[in-house]
Amino acid sequence: NAGVTQTPKFQVLKTGQSMTLQCAQDMNHEYMSWYRQDPGMGLRLIHYSVGAGITDQGEVPNGYNVSRSTTEDFPLRLLSAAPSQTSVYFCASSYGPANYGYTFGSGTRLTVV
Amino acid sequence: AQKITQTQPGMFVQEKEAVTLDCTYDTSDQSYGLFWYKQPSSGEMIFHIYQGSYDEQNATEGRYSLNFQKARKSANLVISASQLGDSAMYFCAMNNNNDMRFGAGTRLTVKP
């Protein structure tokens, strides 16, 4: 059972480039979300999805797009990378939003130069 | 918007002693969930304990317990009999209406 798989683990981008961070889960979880972690700021919610075809914005959505065409996959797209998007990105999933702990992926460390 | 506050950037505790990590939250909703996650130096996020806003008893998971005081809007994590492996970052989080927010975290160091 793989859990939540994120790829790539590390990425360096040039300012202005675009890329997609991949996230896949094999636990049939309805709820998936993306967070970024910056020093001293904890985790901040970027986008989330409560099921296939449904997405919504979190606390810091600007500069990011998501889609949820299947239950398993929830990719995060950076449209035009900026140095301010240098961060560690975590994908998480859960059976439901209310009282279930999230299962997190191992994270993607992104550097924008 | 809901807000989670962890006022202790770092804490030290002697091995085998108890430690309390503070967490306060702000919400106007009555239904919400409170969580604690552990992040060791390897970087992964590990769910540890959950408390529902309507739960009357404090949640416990082995040596971990959540001291829930609803009127004070606090959800402190108590670790009894600390072990060296407890050294990590600890994040308090609150989930309400599909929106899970995290505090800034507390770095716990257990001394031998």
Side-chain angles (χ1 to χ4, degrees), chain A residues 24-106:
Chain A
Q25 52 90 9
D26 60 358
M27 298 171 285
N28 203 30
H29 285 173
E30 287 295 324
Y31 187 83
M32 296 186 74
S33 56
W34 276 101
Y35 287 87
R36 59 177 289 173
Q37 183 177 22
D38 302 296
M41 300 186 73
L43 279 77
R44 291 183 292 169
L45 180 64
I46 305 171
H47 285 284
Y48 65 92
S49 168
V50 299
I54 306 169
T55 63
D56 208 343
Q57 296 181 351
E59 188 180 0
V60 288
N62 292 340
Y64 308 95
N65 271 358
V66 292
S67 60
R68 185 95 180 270
S69 56
T70 67
T71 299
E72 294 77 20
D73 300 299
F74 191 43
L76 177 72
R77 282 182 289 277
L78 279 71
L79 308 172
S80 176
S84 61
Q85 293 179 304
T86 293
S87 188
V88 179
Y89 291 84
F90 285 98
C91 179
S93 73
S94 171
Y95 283 111
N99 59 354
Y100 294 100
Y102 286 13
T103 299
F104 279 82
S106 57

Side-chain angles (χ1 to χ4, degrees), chain B residues 13-69:
Chain B
V13 65
Q14 207 67 35
E15 192 179 8
K16 300 181 184 178
E17 306 222 328
V19 64
T20 298
L21 306 185
D22 294 340
C23 173
T24 58
Y25 59 92
D26 186 21
T27 182
S28 56
D29 294 309
Q30 296 301 310
S31 178
Y32 49 88
L34 297 159
F35 301 79
W36 278 91
Y37 287 84
K38 175 182 179 181
Q39 187 177 43
S41 58
S42 53
E44 71 265 36
M45 291 287 290
I46 304 167
F47 163 65
H48 256 288
I49 196 166
Y50 159 80
Q51 178 86 39
S53 59
Y54 292 116
D55 294 342
E56 294 185 351
Q57 291 194 325
N58 288 340
T60 60
E61 290 288 345
R63 296 181 297 106
Y64 294 78
S65 62
L66 198 155
N67 185 358
F68 179 46
Q69 298 189 40

